[in-house]
Amino acid sequence: MTINHPNFGAIADDRVIIFDTTLRDGEQSPGFSMNLDEKLRMAEALADLGVDVIEAGFPIASQGDFESVRRIAESIHGPVITGLARSGREDILRAAEAVKPAERKRIHTFISTSPLHMKYKLRMEPEAVLEAVGRSVALAREFTDDVEWSAEDGSRTEPDFLCRCVEAAISAGASTINIPDTVGYAVPADIARIFSMLRERVPGADGVIFSTHNHNDLGLAVANTLAAVNAGARQIECTINGIGERAGNAALEEVVMAIRTRRDAVPFNNGIETTKILRTSKLLAAITGFDVQPNKAIVGRNAFAHESGIHQDGVLKNAATYEIMTPESVGWQKTSLVLGKHSGRAAFRDKLRALGYGEVGDNALNDAFRRFKDLADRKKLVYDEDITALFDETVVRDQSRIKFISLEVWSGSKAKPRAVLELEVDGVRHEQEAFGDGPVDATFNAIRAISPHEAELRLFTVGAVTEGTDAQARCGVRLEESGKLVDGQGADTDTIVAAARAYIHALNKLMVKRARTEPAALSA
Ligand code: KIV
Ligand code: ZN
């Protein structure tokens, strides 16, 4: 049967809706906070990638969350924009206000339905939860025809009770019913059974879209997602690079490429332009400072690398021997360019394209090119990893409140370590001299003097971007403030500058995080 959806109209039975929650479920996981500009950049990239729905945030969570959802609703055209709300009135009103300007809007409301969550988290009786389902969906419908209802911890919910909740949500006017595997506990057979049961037993089930939302605690999020689709789900909730609570959500790139590559096993269509996958993944990594692991499917740097002689030989004779999809189909490009100090802007732009950054604006290109020339003066060969580190530093973090300007350090076996640091904070330049037990300590003391804070340094790491003594250093800093953890990364040929950049990156993330107090489990 063809479903008539308020925002999508008649949806063909073989079309799956791609619902991206990178900016909500993904962003709320440790270390992944983004500021308003970063969220807007990501939302633009997601729209360009062709996602159908962007879950832009959790508007009641903080003023910052509200504003990001609102700004995305105002400025992003194409996808449906949604905001998350618990079942209480205040949440739903806040979400409604935030998504109001969107061309196409949705309110996504949820409540826990499993015995464990109802008893210990909500402290509510099942009948009260059931009543809240109908009430919350009906309230959300006053603001939009497109309402999604989710049964939190749905996969661990008693089947009869789940059917009653879903029926209540449909009767109250929900057009999408999402059954999350909130704790990543289910295996594919469980997920298939749940969707088949709901479609068979719940009155009105044939008039709504069923949605699947899987966490990756057992590494099964993608497998569970595909099982759900084969059992009748027609909306997939996923995130770029699989980021999300704990072990993350189903990775958009993996689900989409599995559907595309194994059409025989998962015969469905979606609107994703797969050649834009890599650049979206890279943008997220650059914004958050978290690279995907090298062996990450689709977007990891080894995903299409063939090391063994036998494999290389096979691929040269016929790529299909060891490649089930082409690297180009997800945005990798072939390049033979090695950059050095004589390389020009055109070669540099070409390299950025090949690395998956797509078309880069002139200002961003100029800034990055200036820093590349500087790097090439200090380093004989500039590798892809150097360009990635440099581009992420210069361009992607350009909107941060605290910016690194310069650093001079004096240290040695006899000298008292001393740092003179220049930062820009909210557009104002500050210079500070500080001493410490070593050059890094002196530098961090200077940062603390310019931007005082209570956060404790929990971890400091130093590594190299590439090999050789002229390699760029990549430093990591973890800060903790009132139980909130943030991680920052920084790269530079000077290790102390890389450390300063990493600390500043973490501090910028902390500022975003401070503005947010995670809402507790609200009773309806
Ligand atoms: O994992 C989950 O249950 C969720 C819901 C709020 C949709 O993220
Ligand atoms: Zn989730």
Side-chain angles (χ1 to χ4, degrees):
M1 171 176 167
T2 306
I3 290 170
N4 206 2
H5 186 275
N7 262 321
F8 296 110
I11 305 175
D13 193 45
D14 63 352
R15 173 71 156 86
V16 280
I17 292 168
I18 302 294
F19 175 116
D20 182 279
T21 183
T22 305
L23 296 175
R24 199 277 300 168
D25 209 319
E27 202 256 351
Q28 76 193 39
S29 58
F32 284 88
S33 335
M34 297 174 223
N35 66 28
L36 176 60
D37 288 307
E38 291 166 345
K39 284 191 185 173
L40 273 171
R41 282 178 89 142
M42 252 339 273
E44 274 162 23
L46 291 169
D48 200 39
L49 180 66
V51 307
D52 300 294
V53 184
I54 294 178
E55 185 161 57
F58 195 175
I60 195 90
S62 69
Q63 183 60 20
D65 263 65
F66 174 84
E67 269 158 28
S68 335
V69 179
R70 177 93 184 182
R71 284 285 300 281
I72 290 171
E74 276 163 6
S75 57
I76 302 296
H77 306 285
V80 170
I81 307 298
T82 189
L84 186 67
R86 291 164 298 181
S87 57
R89 189 176 171 78
E90 284 310 307
D91 274 49
I92 292 172
L93 295 188
R94 200 77 176 135
E97 190 58 27
V99 297
K100 198 170 169 183
E103 264 167 13
R104 300 198 295 161
K105 55 177 158 286
R106 169 181 298 186
I107 295 174
H108 177 192
T109 179
F110 74 100
I111 191 165
S112 291
T113 52
S114 66
L116 209 60
H117 277 221
M118 289 191 292
K119 183 167 176 195
Y120 294 104
K121 190 182 97 165
L122 296 179
R123 296 180 205 281
M124 283 170 80
E125 290 301 319
E127 290 312 310
V129 168
L130 193 61
E131 198 264 325
V133 173
R135 188 157 33 82
S136 55
V137 172
L139 177 60
R141 275 299 305 268
E142 290 179 20
F143 303 97
T144 170
D145 288 344
D146 187 344
V147 173
E148 171 170 339
W149 177 76
S150 285
E152 192 185 7
D153 208 16
S155 58
R156 294 195 298 173
T157 297
E158 304 262 299
D160 288 350
F161 186 63
L162 187 61
C163 287
R164 289 177 69 204
C165 289
V166 170
E167 186 177 347
I170 295 176
S171 311
S175 43
T176 301
I177 301 293
N178 182 38
I179 311 295
D181 181 28
T182 303
V183 291
Y185 177 75
V187 297
D190 299 331
I191 296 287
R193 199 174 333 105
I194 291 169
F195 283 97
S196 304
M197 173 196 76
L198 292 173
R199 291 176 63 230
E200 249 169 57
R201 286 182 48 185
V202 178
D206 57 356
V208 297
I209 296 283
F210 278 97
S211 167
T212 185
H213 176 116
N214 298 294
H215 282 271
N216 206 27
D217 301 64
L218 294 174
L220 291 172
V222 171
N224 285 341
T225 300
L226 300 181
V229 171
N230 275 331
R234 290 294 176 270
Q235 175 176 282
I236 292 172
E237 302 200 355
C238 48
T239 59
I240 300 296
N241 297 347
I243 69 169
E245 286 283 9
R246 305 178 311 279
N249 289 69
L252 180 149
E253 60 277 8
E254 295 177 18
V255 172
V256 165
M257 290 315 287
I259 292 176
R260 185 177 148 145
T261 308
R262 292 304 309 276
R263 205 167 276 284
D264 56 327
V266 202
F268 299 95
N269 298 311
N270 59 72
I272 297 296
E273 269 196 58
T274 63
T275 52
K276 295 182 175 166
I277 283 178
L278 181 66
R279 77 156 87 140
T280 318
S281 157
K282 288 219 178 268
L283 178 65
L284 180 67
I287 285 175
T288 58
F290 285 107
D291 279 342
V292 297
Q293 81 268 21
N295 62 325
K296 165 82 178 65
I298 319 293
V299 292
R301 100 175 105 84
N302 288 353
F304 294 91
H306 303 282
E307 179 80 15
S308 104
I310 299 174
H311 287 205
Q312 285 176 350
D313 181 52
V315 168
L316 287 174
K317 288 175 176 149
N318 181 340
T321 50
Y322 288 98
E323 276 180 9
I324 58 169
M325 57 199 143
T326 65
E328 291 79 11
S329 66
V330 296
W332 292 99
Q333 286 182 28
K334 289 198 178 70
T335 172
S336 53
L337 279 179
V338 177
L339 298 184
K341 69 183 198 184
H342 300 297
S343 306
R345 269 169 54 100
F348 184 68
R349 191 192 280 269
D350 230 48
K351 175 61 88 182
L352 288 177
R353 268 194 219 114
L355 288 174
Y357 288 108
E359 290 312 317
V360 175
D362 280 345
N363 287 341
L365 184 75
N366 289 344
D367 281 358
F369 186 61
R370 206 172 307 120
R371 201 153 164 225
F372 156 71
K373 281 290 188 188
D374 194 38
L375 179 67
D377 271 344
R378 287 184 278 156
K379 200 170 181 298
K380 283 186 264 342
L381 284 180
V382 180
Y383 298 102
D384 289 0
E385 289 84 349
D386 290 317
I387 306 278
T388 307
L390 171 155
F391 188 76
D392 296 352
E393 271 302 335
T394 329
V395 179
V396 182
R397 294 186 203 148
D398 189 43
Q399 307 292 338
S400 306
R401 287 183 58 189
I402 308 180
K403 288 185 193 144
F404 173 88
I405 304 294
S406 70
L407 175 67
E408 303 253 18
V409 177
W410 293 265
S411 70
S413 56
K414 289 188 183 153
K416 177 147 180 67
R418 171 175 164 242
V420 175
L421 176 73
E422 212 186 340
L423 298 183
E424 191 180 292
V425 183
D426 293 329
V428 180
R429 290 228 175 177
H430 301 264
E431 194 182 274
Q432 180 72 43
E433 178 190 54
F435 295 88
D437 291 338
V440 173
D441 192 43
T443 303
F444 288 1
N445 285 341
I447 297 176
R448 282 191 210 100
I450 294 178
S451 179
H453 53 274
E454 296 296 313
E456 302 272 352
L457 178 66
R458 289 282 173 238
L459 191 70
F460 172 57
T461 56
V462 184
V465 174
T466 56
E467 288 166 8
T469 49
D470 66 347
Q472 289 195 85
R474 188 197 292 280
C475 293
V477 161
R478 174 170 292 169
L479 297 179
E480 183 179 355
E481 188 184 76
S482 320
K484 291 187 170 112
L485 286 175
V486 285
D487 286 274
Q489 322 271 325
D492 200 277
T493 46
D494 185 303
T495 308
I496 313 298
V497 173
R501 288 183 185 280
Y503 199 111
I504 292 162
H505 185 214
L507 212 48
N508 277 310
K509 284 168 106 181
L510 192 63
M511 288 179 168
V512 177
K513 213 155 189 179
R514 265 186 205 146
R516 172 179 306 152
T517 352
E518 212 49 65
L522 183 88
S523 57

